[in-house]
């Protein structure tokens, strides 16, 4: 009887191992079938000054104006910035104990995330008067809009579609490439039906297909900051900030406390 019991246990273990191996092989085959993201070529058209006190978390070009959301405790702001000078035209300061994150504009309202405070501020676009404060259950990182919903990143591999009137999640999408899930998704921008995203702590901007979550393209911006020929001080931080100008089709790119903002043409 004991022999039969051991035989059954051994058979179960072997069957489980085989099932797991088959599952691993299937997953590997699926990954191999996914194409590697293509490199997106670009050209630097212009280099503008950028305020090195701005710890850039979000960047938007909207109806000919440049908006910027910045972070760090005691320093977080919402800014209307002069592109040519890098100087702030208007500024709204967040409470000293809150860390600002990404921003976007929809229906004449500006939405600004906070990092670990679980708050989302909503401002009137014209007056910058605060209209609402939504609760958000996760960390806030990046935010953009497809023209109807808001899209939010939280530093992981998921993107969340959110109802702008309630800030309730309506859809969740995992971001992946040919190696599996992609984490550290940060600042977002919706461009011609695709999501462009900074991958935090890297020099890459990812182009994501919103229908599948697959990374289909990648901008490698290694060395971009050095092209500014500006001093790179000790507290200069990582690439972060993507704005799209629909009139020219060009991108505006900067980073946290960078001395420059770059206009890029995608080739």
């Amino acid at each position: 009887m004991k022999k039969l019991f051991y035989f059954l246990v051994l058979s179960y273990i072997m069957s489980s191992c085989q099932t797991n191996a088959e599952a691993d092989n299937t997953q590997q085959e699926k990954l191999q079938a996914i194409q590697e993201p293509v490199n997106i070529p670009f050209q630097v058209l212009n280099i503008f000054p950028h305020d090195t006190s701005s710890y850039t978390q979000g960047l938007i070009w909207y109806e000919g104006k440049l908006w910027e959301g910045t972070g760090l405790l005691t320093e977080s702001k919402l800014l209307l910035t002069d592109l040519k000078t890098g100087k702030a035209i208007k500024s709204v300061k967040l409470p000293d104990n809150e860390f600002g994150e990404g921003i976007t504009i929809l229906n004449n309202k500006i939405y600004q995330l906070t990092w670990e405070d679980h708050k989302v501020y909503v401002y009137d676009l014209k007056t910058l008067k605060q209209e609402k404060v939504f609760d958000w259950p996760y960390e806030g990182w990046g935010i953009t809009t497809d023209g109807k919903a808001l899209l939010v990143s939280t530093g992981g591999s998921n993107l969340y579609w959110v109802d702008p009137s309630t800030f309730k999640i309506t859809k969740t999408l995992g971001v992946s490439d040919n190696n599996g899930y992609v984490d550290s998704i940060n600042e977002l921008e919706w461009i011609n039906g695709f999501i462009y995203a900074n991958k935090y702590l890297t020099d890459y901007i990812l182009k994501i297909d919103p229908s599948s979550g697959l990374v289909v393209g990648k901008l490698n911006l290694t060395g971009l900051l050095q092209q500014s020929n500006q001093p790179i001080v000790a507290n200069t931080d990582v690439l972060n900030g993507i704005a799209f100008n629909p009139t020219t089709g060009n991108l505006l790119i900067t980073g946290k406390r960078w001395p420059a903002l770059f206009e890029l043409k995608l080739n």
Side-chain angles (χ1 to χ4, degrees):
M1 189 69 180
K2 286 184 178 179
K3 290 183 178 180
L4 177 60
F5 174 76
Y6 290 139
F7 174 77
L8 292 174
V9 171
L10 181 61
S11 298
Y12 174 77
I13 292 173
M14 293 178 65
S15 175
S16 297
C17 290
Q18 185 177 7
T19 301
N20 290 337
E22 290 174 351
D24 289 342
N25 290 336
T26 301
Q27 180 65 19
Q28 192 62 35
E29 289 173 359
K30 287 181 179 179
L31 290 175
Q32 290 174 352
I34 297 173
Q35 292 186 349
E36 183 177 353
V38 299
N39 284 322
I40 302 173
F42 64 90
Q43 176 185 358
V44 177
L45 296 182
N46 289 296
I47 302 176
F48 301 101
H50 182 250
D51 188 344
T52 53
S53 70
S54 291
Y55 193 80
T56 306
Q57 303 287 71
L59 199 67
I60 303 171
W61 182 263
Y62 186 79
E63 295 184 348
K65 295 179 180 179
L66 182 66
W67 296 87
E68 187 169 5
T70 71
L72 297 179
L73 298 179
T74 75
E75 299 181 25
S76 297
K77 300 180 181 71
L78 171 66
L79 303 171
L80 174 60
T81 303
D82 186 305
L83 175 63
K84 293 185 178 180
T85 66
K87 303 291 184 182
I89 301 170
K90 293 181 181 179
S91 176
V92 177
K93 191 175 185 304
L94 271 65
D96 284 349
N97 63 339
E98 294 182 6
F99 196 116
E101 285 283 346
I103 61 172
T104 196
I105 297 174
L106 178 64
N107 298 330
N108 294 314
K109 300 182 189 303
I110 303 177
Y111 295 80
Q112 183 174 25
L113 301 175
T114 58
W115 179 30
E116 296 178 313
D117 304 286
H118 304 288
K119 294 180 182 178
V120 183
Y121 290 104
V122 185
Y123 309 91
D124 179 85
L125 178 62
K126 293 183 178 179
T127 65
L128 297 188
K129 180 180 178 181
Q130 186 186 117
E131 293 187 342
K132 294 180 182 177
V133 182
F134 287 117
D135 293 323
W136 176 243
Y138 306 115
E139 290 184 359
W141 284 48
I143 185 170
T144 189
T145 177
D146 60 5
K148 295 180 181 179
L150 302 172
L151 284 67
V152 179
S153 66
T154 59
S157 60
N158 283 343
L159 295 176
Y160 299 92
W161 269 248
V162 174
D163 185 328
S165 63
T166 63
F167 225 81
K168 299 298 183 184
I169 296 170
T170 60
K171 173 184 172 183
T172 303
L173 180 71
V175 177
S176 59
D177 61 13
N178 57 308
N179 293 311
Y181 282 109
V182 178
D183 63 5
S184 302
I185 302 299
N186 197 6
E187 152 78 334
L188 305 174
E189 184 79 358
W190 183 273
I191 302 174
N192 296 331
F194 290 90
I195 304 161
Y196 284 67
N198 283 114
K199 180 172 169 57
Y200 186 51
L201 298 178
T202 76
D203 292 317
Y204 295 117
I205 292 177
L206 310 179
K207 180 181 180 181
I208 303 164
D209 184 342
S211 66
S212 63
L214 288 177
V215 178
V216 296
K218 181 185 294 186
L219 278 86
N220 184 350
L221 299 182
T222 302
L224 180 66
L225 177 57
Q226 287 69 24
Q227 294 186 41
S228 69
N229 295 319
Q230 297 292 321
I232 301 172
V233 297
N235 64 354
T236 303
D237 212 309
V238 297
L239 176 78
N240 202 51
I242 311 167
F244 175 63
N245 184 338
T247 302
T248 63
N250 298 332
L251 303 185
L252 296 172
I253 301 295
T254 192
K256 303 172 187 289
R257 288 177 165 162
W258 279 24
L261 183 149
F262 298 83
E263 183 180 10
L264 306 185
K265 179 182 179 181
L266 303 186
N267 297 328

